[in-house]
Amino acid sequence: MNGTASGDRARVTVGVALLPEQAFRVFTEEIELWWRRGPRFRSAPGDAGLIALEPRLGGRVFESYTVGAREHVVEIGRICVWQPPRRLLFDWRAANFAPAERTEVEVVFEPTASGTRVTVTHSGWAAIRPDHPVRHGKTGANFSREIGLWWGGLLSALRLRCQQVGDAGRG
């Protein structure tokens, strides 16, 4: 694994039928439209709230929602690399992480004959203690597999959104 500890990262790839520029735009500007809802993917209860990404170096990746009269903003991370339309990298913090705990999400957009290959690599998990609640009792390859399935669910939704965008462009 190129010196990477077992369970440190998960990598998921999906093909979309859009040019890299379009796929990058859908990923970043339309994140609310494709990021799945529910407790597995968001902090907001039910269908409440939105998820957003501020499109710039240092921009926030965050979720915002209201419960009762109180607004909640959960910062997921900050953009560390902003290279449209090729690459995006942001740090990632689960809601139950301590202030110094963070992982890293890299998203790469590569042109293919049929559109774009979008690859998400979520790494840095070796720095999160093995008994951390975010792991749900899993470590090593079992935990990486779980994170990969989680991102796989999100990238399936991204692929569907890209298909809708492509269909609208041809219509």
Side-chain angles (χ1 to χ4, degrees), residues 26-99:
V26 169
F27 191 100
T28 59
E29 294 177 24
E30 297 188 16
I31 192 168
E32 168 63 18
L33 298 176
W34 62 265
W35 194 281
R36 293 180 183 244
R37 294 187 175 275
R40 180 171 162 89
F41 296 101
R42 297 194 188 205
S43 296
D47 286 337
L50 67 90
I51 190 162
L53 183 151
E54 296 172 337
R56 66 180 185 281
L57 187 62
R60 296 177 303 158
V61 180
F62 67 95
E63 192 175 347
S64 174
Y65 59 95
T66 303
V67 174
R70 188 164 174 237
E71 184 176 348
H72 300 266
V73 176
V74 178
E75 185 173 306
I76 298 164
R78 292 275 176 165
I79 297 173
C80 305
V81 175
W82 179 258
Q83 297 174 335
R86 296 184 341 258
R87 184 170 173 245
L88 166 69
L89 186 138
F90 53 94
D91 59 3
W92 177 275
R93 294 183 29 55
N96 59 355
F97 276 13

Side-chain angles (χ1 to χ4, degrees), residues 118-134:
V118 181
T119 302
V120 171
T121 305
H122 194 158
S123 61
W125 291 102
I128 307 302
R129 71 181 197 271
D131 64 342
H132 194 288
V134 76

Side-chain angles (χ1 to χ4, degrees), residues 8-19:
D8 182 63
R9 70 176 178 190
R11 179 172 287 142
V12 179
T13 300
V14 68
V16 299
L18 293 176
L19 296 172

